Amino acid sequence: MYVANLEQTYQKMEELKLTYVNPRFKRRAYSKEEALEQCMFRCIDVIDPFAPEKGAIVQIEHEIRSVVKVDGTMYRSCPFDEIPELY
């Protein structure tokens, strides 16, 4: 999944205790700083954002990626035609 604002997404996921580190992979984001440096982090639980207290709807590991690299250019693998505007 690609997001335009990785920092904000990571902060929200961290607040909800949804960030996940898979030891199988070399790239690991244990903190917001590491997620921003690597332009990615992982999650495993999918929840209802309007009822997070109900817990996971399903568990499936997923990598959340920034649309842009650290230098501000867009990843070639990103499915968007252009960098989305932040609101």
Side-chain angles (χ1 to χ4, degrees):
M1 174 185 294
Y2 285 88
V3 296
N5 190 329
L6 188 72
E7 182 173 9
Q8 183 180 23
T9 304
Y10 184 90
Q11 287 173 337
K12 185 63 175 178
M13 298 287 276
E14 189 174 46
E15 285 173 21
L16 294 169
K17 299 184 181 354
L18 297 174
T19 58
Y20 172 71
V21 176
N22 188 328
R24 293 182 312 141
F25 296 101
K26 291 180 183 179
R27 293 176 58 201
R28 300 176 187 157
Y30 288 98
S31 66
K32 179 178 71 174
E33 291 74 24
E34 289 178 342
L36 294 174
E37 178 183 298
Q38 297 179 42
C39 300
M40 58 71 67
F41 69 95
R42 296 180 181 280
C43 64
I44 198 164
D45 292 335
V46 176
I47 64 161
D48 178 348
F50 299 107
E53 68 280 356
K54 291 183 179 180
I57 296 168
V58 67
Q59 287 190 319
I60 183 167
E61 184 176 344
H62 202 79
E63 184 175 302
I64 311 296
R65 296 180 181 182
S66 176
V67 171
V68 295
K69 302 176 195 175
V70 176
D71 66 7
T73 60
M74 191 163 67
Y75 277 102
R76 284 188 295 161
S77 60
C78 179
F80 301 125
D81 292 331
E82 57 187 47
I83 298 170
E85 291 185 36
L86 298 177
Y87 298 98

